[in-house]
Amino acid sequence: MTAALLGTGRRTPPGGSATALLELAARETVRERAGLLPGTVGPRPGPAPADPRPPLPAPAARRLTMLLAGRAEPAGGGRRSGGPDLAELLPQWLAAAGAHGYRAPAARLPALLDAARARTDLRADALAFAGPRALWLAALNPEWRFALRGGSASAPVDLDDARAVRSRWEEGLFAERVALLADLRRHDADAARALLAGTWPAERAEDRLVFLDTLRESLAAADEPFLDRALGDRSRTVRSTAAELLSALPGSALAGRMAARALACVHLDRVGPGPATGGAGIAVEAPHECDAGMRRDGVSPAPPAGHGERSWWLGQLVEAAPLGRWSERLGGRSPAEIVALPVADGWREDLHAAWARAAVRQRDVAWARALAGPPSAPMAEGPGDPARLLTVLPARERAAWAAAFVAAHGLSEAFRLLSTCAVPWSEELGGAVIDALEIARDAGGYPWSFSGVMGLAERCLDPARAGRLAPLAAHPEEPEPGGPGAGGYWAEAFQRLVATLTVRAAMAEELAGRAPEADGPRPVARPPAPGR
């Protein structure tokens, strides 16, 4: 060893030469290998569970292979490619395939698991489509263990068999227990709550938080006693989640206590004559302290940076108070009339933002509609978060509001609003977005200023809109006002949009079992690069 480390020029090796040293090392290596004992053969894994779902149609299976392997071709000059990005179409394809109830091809399961491992946004749909065989496969490969955190590879439990349910709950892996609790909650909410209560004190804090989150589905007054006990939990995050769930139950004792505190801070104030508000306004007296009762009910005493203590406490109280109590407190007015009242001493923004959070938490359509206001108003003047308020409105009304906003203000502030709307976009919303894109093009700017909206349009526009967009994908013959080459860049952006919609239409046909024509729609001619 010394000769090998120092070199044969400084230390004479056994045998007198480097060759003799290497031969000695080779003999020792053979002896060491020959002395190894054979490894113990482990049990063979059991067979993968059956998946009774029907197989994919052949064209759809070929499409899946393309999507799993596809990447957009890079375009010169840092621009996006003129063709569709197949990887970005994968989430939509997986959701559609799951809606049809198809079984994933066995040969594609490793690629599906790899894709879900790399992209968390794919996991739910990818694992649902991949089915029980993918979970069986994930148990054999440590790189795919993530799949077992969201589902169980074990056989499903008969939810009417109390002994089987108890056995899985007490002996199963964490993912199995989460899946069992969620399934049982949908099947028998009372039984699920009783199962959780039986082991609650022994669970880890992070597990208690996940289990508690399953109560959001089918939340009912019967959950109040359990949630009220959770208010005394040793974990702050568990206490906060329990308080949030209780405040979503308008009849709960916590909601009543929070309402009493919030109503004591807000009252009508006569501000003089005014036909719009009947001479009335709102006066606010925010809390001066966060007492022990408020802290137990989930009020966080320490405000984040940039917030004052009193406004922070007020917001939490109003957010947790049942919205139905405000009409009686403020003279029998409707939500729209209450929102229209002036608020004294600069408290309007804090009060309306808290009401907006309450509307989202309690899913109150009337309050969300009133607080969102007319779409003609600039977003900066709206209370709270208009995008979150829109999620409370019915899908059709949400799309109509977003369409009117785009028509009034263009696309510069519309991205988050558009992302809340159901896919595919309604005819009204799709038309408004296309018109706004055309206006932006005619104004002479560059399309990458609207790349986020363009990406949404590729995923959310009705594929039938491809014909409406085809003329916009043609390269302009006349130079347009604005930046050099902007027209050519816009043509490429619209070409990509048309190509993506064409592929989405073909995907829908394939999944429906109606393979498109062999040649498919004729693609739009790709324009030459600007400046060439």
Side-chain angles (χ1 to χ4, degrees), residues 183-207:
D183 291 342
L184 189 59
R185 179 71 178 177
R186 289 187 287 268
H187 178 73
D188 186 340
D190 292 339
R193 186 177 56 254
L195 188 70
L196 179 58
T199 60
W200 180 260
E203 306 289 355
R204 300 184 306 169
E206 55 267 34
D207 295 350

Side-chain angles (χ1 to χ4, degrees), residues 42-145:
R44 295 180 63 182
D51 191 340
R53 296 176 296 176
L56 276 174
R62 290 193 294 271
R63 178 74 64 183
L64 173 62
T65 301
M66 293 171 56
L67 294 175
L68 287 170
R71 295 292 184 271
E73 295 181 3
R79 304 189 311 276
R80 300 177 77 194
S81 165
D85 186 345
L86 300 183
E88 289 305 313
L89 290 173
L90 184 56
Q92 195 166 101
W93 189 97
L94 289 170
H100 280 281
Y102 288 127
R103 178 178 76 238
R108 300 280 78 81
L109 293 179
L112 274 170
L113 287 167
D114 282 340
R117 177 172 175 255
R119 294 179 54 180
T120 56
D121 62 310
L122 293 178
R123 288 186 180 177
D125 286 333
L127 294 178
F129 173 61
R133 291 182 174 183
L135 296 177
W136 171 86
L137 196 60
L140 305 176
N141 184 346
E143 292 189 352
W144 297 330
R145 289 283 182 175

Side-chain angles (χ1 to χ4, degrees), residues 281-310:
I282 295 177
V284 175
E285 180 65 30
H288 289 274
E289 64 172 341
C290 183
D291 58 33
M294 290 168 61
R295 290 195 296 271
R296 183 184 182 276
D297 285 344
V299 176
S300 173
H307 287 73
E309 285 185 334
R310 297 182 66 199

